[in-house]
Amino acid sequence: KPISQPPDAVVASGLGPVSNHVLQNAIADAIAPLCEQIRGEVRNLHLDLIRQGFVYQEQIKALRQECGESRALRLEIDQLRRENEQLRRYVPFFELPSQNARSEHGRNA
Protein backbone atom coordinates (compact mmCIF):
# COMPACT_ATOMS: atom_id res chain seq x y z
CA LYS A 1 0.00 0.00 0.00
CA PRO A 2 1.43 3.43 -0.87
CA ILE A 3 1.74 5.91 1.97
CA SER A 4 -0.38 9.00 1.40
CA GLN A 5 1.49 12.23 1.69
CA PRO A 6 0.07 15.50 3.00
CA PRO A 7 -0.49 18.16 0.32
CA ASP A 8 2.55 20.19 1.50
CA ALA A 9 4.79 17.19 1.04
CA VAL A 10 3.45 16.63 -2.48
CA VAL A 11 4.18 20.24 -3.46
CA ALA A 12 7.49 20.22 -1.65
CA SER A 13 8.57 16.97 -3.30
CA GLY A 14 8.46 18.62 -6.73
CA LEU A 15 10.10 21.87 -5.64
CA GLY A 16 12.61 20.71 -3.11
CA PRO A 17 13.07 21.97 0.47
CA VAL A 18 14.76 25.22 -0.53
CA SER A 19 12.03 26.15 -2.99
CA ASN A 20 9.34 25.43 -0.40
CA HIS A 21 11.07 27.73 2.09
CA VAL A 22 11.40 30.48 -0.53
CA LEU A 23 7.71 30.16 -1.42
CA GLN A 24 6.66 30.41 2.26
CA ASN A 25 8.84 33.51 2.73
CA ALA A 26 7.42 35.11 -0.43
CA ILE A 27 3.84 34.54 0.76
CA ALA A 28 4.67 35.81 4.25
CA ASP A 29 6.29 38.94 2.76
CA ALA A 30 3.29 39.50 0.49
CA ILE A 31 0.73 39.33 3.28
CA ALA A 32 2.81 41.11 5.95
CA PRO A 33 1.46 44.61 5.11
CA LEU A 34 -2.09 43.29 5.17
CA CYS A 35 -1.51 41.62 8.54
CA GLU A 36 -0.03 44.83 9.95
CA GLN A 37 -2.96 46.84 8.64
CA ILE A 38 -5.42 44.43 10.24
CA ARG A 39 -3.50 44.57 13.55
CA GLY A 40 -3.65 48.37 13.45
CA GLU A 41 -7.38 48.37 12.75
CA VAL A 42 -8.04 45.91 15.56
CA ARG A 43 -5.89 48.02 17.91
CA ASN A 44 -7.82 51.19 16.94
CA LEU A 45 -11.12 49.39 17.40
CA HIS A 46 -10.00 48.24 20.84
CA LEU A 47 -9.02 51.81 21.80
CA ASP A 48 -12.36 53.11 20.55
CA LEU A 49 -14.19 50.53 22.67
CA ILE A 50 -12.19 51.58 25.73
CA ARG A 51 -12.94 55.26 25.09
CA GLN A 52 -16.60 54.47 24.57
CA GLY A 53 -16.63 52.57 27.85
CA PHE A 54 -15.29 55.63 29.67
CA VAL A 55 -17.92 57.85 28.03
CA TYR A 56 -20.67 55.41 29.06
CA GLN A 57 -19.34 55.33 32.62
CA GLU A 58 -19.49 59.13 32.80
CA GLN A 59 -23.02 59.17 31.38
CA ILE A 60 -24.19 56.53 33.85
CA LYS A 61 -22.55 58.45 36.69
CA ALA A 62 -24.38 61.64 35.64
CA LEU A 63 -27.69 59.78 35.35
CA ARG A 64 -27.27 58.23 38.78
CA GLN A 65 -26.56 61.64 40.26
CA GLU A 66 -29.57 63.08 38.47
CA CYS A 67 -31.78 60.25 39.72
CA GLY A 68 -30.48 60.76 43.24
CA GLU A 69 -31.32 64.46 43.06
CA SER A 70 -34.78 63.68 41.68
CA ARG A 71 -35.38 61.18 44.46
CA ALA A 72 -34.29 63.70 47.09
CA LEU A 73 -36.63 66.30 45.58
CA ARG A 74 -39.52 63.83 45.53
CA LEU A 75 -38.92 63.00 49.20
CA GLU A 76 -38.85 66.69 50.04
CA ILE A 77 -42.09 67.29 48.11
CA ASP A 78 -43.77 64.41 49.93
CA GLN A 79 -42.60 65.80 53.26
CA LEU A 80 -43.88 69.29 52.40
CA ARG A 81 -47.23 67.85 51.33
CA ARG A 82 -47.56 66.06 54.66
CA GLU A 83 -46.67 69.28 56.50
CA ASN A 84 -49.23 71.22 54.47
CA GLU A 85 -51.88 68.63 55.24
CA GLN A 86 -51.08 68.81 58.96
CA LEU A 87 -51.22 72.60 58.87
CA ARG A 88 -54.58 72.53 57.10
CA ARG A 89 -55.98 70.27 59.83
CA TYR A 90 -54.68 72.24 62.80
CA VAL A 91 -54.64 75.87 61.64
CA PRO A 92 -57.97 77.58 60.93
CA PHE A 93 -58.31 78.81 57.37
CA PHE A 94 -57.83 82.55 56.93
CA GLU A 95 -58.47 84.40 53.71
CA LEU A 96 -55.50 86.19 52.30
CA PRO A 97 -55.71 90.02 52.19
CA SER A 98 -55.82 90.01 48.39
CA GLN A 99 -58.85 87.70 48.51
CA ASN A 100 -60.59 89.98 51.07
CA ALA A 101 -60.04 93.01 48.86
CA ARG A 102 -61.49 91.22 45.84
CA SER A 103 -64.55 90.01 47.72
CA GLU A 104 -65.23 93.51 49.16
CA HIS A 105 -64.66 95.07 45.76
CA GLY A 106 -67.18 92.65 44.26
CA ARG A 107 -69.75 93.58 46.94
CA ASN A 108 -69.37 97.33 46.29
CA ALA A 109 -69.82 97.00 42.55
Side-chain angles (χ1 to χ4, degrees):
K1 239 178 172 181
I3 301 173
S4 65
Q5 297 178 341
D8 290 340
V10 172
V11 173
S13 65
L15 298 174
V18 174
S19 296
N20 189 22
H21 184 67
V22 171
L23 184 60
Q24 286 177 347
N25 286 341
I27 292 172
D29 289 344
I31 64 171
L34 180 62
C35 290
E36 189 56 38
Q37 181 183 359
I38 291 171
R39 279 190 198 99
E41 289 178 13
V42 169
R43 183 176 36 251
N44 290 338
L45 180 63
H46 186 229
L47 291 173
D48 285 342
L49 287 172
I50 290 171
R51 281 188 214 111
Q52 199 173 40
F54 284 125
V55 169
Y56 287 150
Q57 282 180 345
E58 291 301 314
Q59 289 174 343
I60 289 171
K61 187 177 175 182
L63 287 172
R64 282 184 178 167
Q65 184 177 1
E66 203 174 292
C67 288
E69 291 171 0
S70 296
R71 187 169 189 266
L73 289 172
R74 276 182 280 158
L75 291 173
E76 185 177 356
I77 288 170
D78 289 342
Q79 180 184 358
L80 290 171
R81 284 181 178 156
R82 284 191 299 273
E83 286 179 20
N84 282 342
E85 194 59 39
Q86 288 176 351
L87 289 172
R88 285 185 187 126
R89 277 189 240 134
Y90 297 114
V91 177
F93 179 74
F94 294 103
E95 283 188 6
L96 297 174
S98 62
Q99 290 175 340
N100 284 337
R102 278 190 225 145
S103 62
E104 288 179 12
H105 180 67
R107 289 182 201 155
N108 292 340

